[in-house]
């Protein structure tokens, strides 16, 4: 297995099955620190730099919380407008990360341009963690999600995943790569204009993913073990910031999970949503046996702890 020490986490393409299980083991080791709310000093001599060029609640704060839980330091920015990358100078990624690498030992980056973290990794002498790049990928979120499913279901093999929402979404790309490492059947449900692109389907075919597409949640819900959701009403992820202007519309019932829909689901099925949500996942589902998005949120801290500890060489 490849070492995680010093490694960039840019994509789940090529991320191997045994690497998922190694990270899950580390998560299990570190989870009590987060659960008991007792920080440790594992990374006391290390600093995380967060470079967020797009809004975030969960990813930035979970990554920062993970570093604090492990006794490390954190600096960075959550709004590029307050940096030279977001003002008159429009400072390049190359020049920016040539600075940031002196301010810490690992850089967690979110960017509106697909490929920006990979570009940063070319120039930085410290590891880069992709925290979401445009419509590209969101590897730390999906590592969190796979860990959550593994903990909840006891396995990742032999499961039916139903994926609902905008398939241009970065989580959908990362989870599609992740599913290729396990014995998973995938059913995708999205509006036609948000469906898997022909180019991405060619990639999934080459990676032997067993998948098909249907039009309505009702056609897939009965067989689902895991219902994995994203909004279909959402911002443009290629923008640094997309303000809501006027009426943004409602989610059609095809792509909505409600208590009525979940009545047709297996008792054992679970619903994951990385959040934030619009009306595609009604709050009434929060009170059912199926909701696992709050466990997913907690695991977001645990997985980032595992990644930081591994990348910074404390968990070989
Ligand atoms: N799920 C997720 O990436 O959330 P944030 O945009 O709040 O980080």
């Amino acid at each position: 297995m490849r070492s995680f020490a010093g490694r960039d986490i840019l994509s789940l393409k090529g991320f191997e099955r045994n690497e998922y299980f190694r990270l899950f083991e580390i998560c299990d080791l570190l989870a009590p620190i987060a659960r008991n709310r007792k920080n440790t000093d594992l990374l006391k001599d290390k600093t995380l730099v967060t470079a967020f060029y797009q809004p975030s609640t969960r990813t930035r704060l979970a990554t920062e919380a993970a570093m604090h839980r492990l006794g490390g330091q954190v600096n960075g920015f959550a709004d590029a407008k307050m940096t030279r990358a977001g003002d008159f100078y429009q400072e390049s990624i190359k020049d920016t990360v040539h600075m940031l690498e002196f301010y810490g030992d690992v850089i967690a980056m979110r960017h509106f341009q697909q490929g920006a973290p990979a570009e940063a990794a070319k120039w930085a002498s410290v590891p880069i963690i992709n925290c979401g790049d445009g419509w590209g990928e969101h590897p730390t979120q999906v590592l969190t999600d796979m860990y959550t499913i593994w903990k909840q279901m006891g396995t990742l093999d032999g499961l039916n995943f139903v994926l609902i929402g905008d398939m241009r979404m970065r989580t959908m790309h990362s989870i599609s790569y992740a599913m290729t490492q396990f014995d998973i059947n995938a059913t995708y449900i999205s509006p036609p204009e948000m469906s898997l692109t022909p180019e991405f389907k060619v990639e999934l075919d080459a990676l032997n993913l067993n998948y098909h597409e249907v039009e309505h949640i009702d056609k897939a819900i009965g067989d689902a073990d895991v219902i994995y959701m994203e909004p279909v009403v959402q911002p443009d992820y290629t923008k640094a910031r997309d303000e809501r202007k006027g009426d943004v519309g409602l989610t059609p019932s095809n792509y909505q999970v409600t208590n009525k829909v979940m009545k047709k689901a297996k008792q054992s099925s679970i619903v994951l949503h990385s959040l934030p949500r619009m009306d595609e996942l009604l709050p009434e589902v929060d009170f059912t046996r199926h909701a696992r998005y709050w466990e997913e949120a907690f695991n977001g801290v645990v997985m980032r702890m595992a990644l930081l500890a591994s990348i910074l060489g404390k968990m070989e």
Side-chain angles (χ1 to χ4, degrees):
M1 186 169 61
R2 292 176 295 176
S3 170
F4 282 104
R7 191 162 143 189
D8 302 306
I9 303 294
L10 301 174
S11 166
L12 292 188
K13 190 173 181 178
F15 211 89
E16 294 168 9
R17 181 180 170 96
N18 58 359
E19 295 175 325
Y20 288 89
F21 289 123
R22 177 64 187 134
L23 282 178
F24 296 171
E25 269 175 13
I26 298 170
C27 284
D28 279 354
L29 276 175
L30 299 178
I33 298 166
R35 191 166 295 114
N36 298 332
R37 300 177 180 276
K38 283 208 166 157
N39 296 359
T40 180
D41 63 357
L42 190 69
L43 296 181
K44 68 175 186 314
D45 54 350
K46 299 293 181 189
T47 300
L48 163 73
V49 182
T50 49
F52 273 58
Y53 295 77
Q54 238 184 1
S56 168
T57 298
R58 281 145 284 272
T59 311
R60 183 174 66 83
L61 294 174
T63 308
E64 294 188 357
M67 195 63 179
H68 288 303
R69 288 280 181 236
L70 296 175
Q73 285 72 51
V74 178
N75 67 41
F77 57 87
D79 182 355
K81 277 206 163 60
M82 303 310 289
T83 74
R84 297 308 198 176
D87 81 343
F88 178 87
Y89 289 95
Q90 305 265 305
E91 192 165 26
S92 68
I93 288 173
K94 176 185 174 188
D95 287 2
T96 303
V97 298
H98 262 327
M99 296 296 112
L100 300 186
E101 67 181 349
F102 301 126
Y103 308 152
D105 307 293
V106 56
I107 299 169
M109 175 179 283
R110 169 169 287 188
H111 206 289
F112 51 90
Q113 277 170 20
Q114 189 168 337
E119 168 73 6
K122 279 197 233 161
W123 304 110
S125 61
V126 299
I128 303 288
I129 302 175
N130 178 3
C131 288
D133 59 327
W135 294 115
E137 279 205 61
H138 198 347
T140 68
Q141 178 65 55
V142 168
L143 288 168
T144 298
D145 303 339
M146 296 305 269
Y147 175 61
T148 304
I149 297 163
W150 181 72
K151 291 298 282 179
Q152 296 293 322
M153 306 301 271
T155 182
L156 288 167
D157 293 311
L159 299 179
N160 291 323
F161 279 36
V162 169
L163 304 109
I164 314 171
D166 186 341
M167 297 308 153
R168 298 171 304 170
M169 193 54 190
R170 49 202 181 196
T171 46
M172 292 299 186
H173 297 146
S174 291
I175 200 161
S176 297
Y177 291 132
M179 290 188 293
T180 67
Q181 296 300 301
F182 303 94
D183 174 19
I184 288 170
N185 290 309
T187 304
Y188 293 98
I189 309 168
S190 65
E193 69 279 14
M194 297 178 188
S195 62
L196 298 170
T197 63
E199 301 76 37
F200 194 59
K201 283 186 187 177
V202 169
E203 274 198 67
L204 298 184
D205 290 338
L207 292 166
N208 277 338
L209 181 68
N210 191 359
Y211 71 92
H212 68 289
E213 295 168 281
V214 300
E215 289 162 17
H216 200 296
I217 178 80
D218 282 348
K219 293 198 173 146
I221 193 71
D223 290 328
D225 297 301
V226 175
I227 298 134
Y228 189 85
M229 303 194 65
E230 283 289 348
V232 296
V233 178
Q234 59 174 355
D236 179 351
Y237 276 80
T238 65
K239 290 184 178 169
R241 190 176 178 86
D242 198 3
E243 300 293 344
R244 193 191 290 200
K245 294 176 208 84
D247 182 7
V248 291
L250 295 174
T251 302
S253 65
N254 304 38
Y255 320 112
Q256 216 178 22
V257 168
T258 62
N259 278 354
K260 191 170 163 217
V261 166
M262 291 311 295
K263 280 208 166 68
K264 298 171 207 149
K266 291 185 200 174
Q267 295 277 350
S268 58
S269 63
I270 59 173
V271 178
L272 271 76
H273 192 313
S274 62
L275 305 174
R277 62 180 150 186
M278 298 288 283
D279 64 333
E280 72 283 357
L281 173 60
L282 296 191
E284 64 187 21
V285 181
D286 299 6
F287 304 103
T288 69
R289 68 188 331 127
H290 305 286
R292 291 294 185 285
Y293 22 97
W294 310 122
E295 284 82 354
E296 189 182 0
F298 169 73
N299 287 336
V301 177
V302 175
M303 177 52 76
R304 273 84 179 203
M305 289 168 73
L307 282 167
L308 289 167
S310 307
I311 291 166
L312 294 170
K314 300 289 184 183
M315 281 289 171
E316 282 303 328

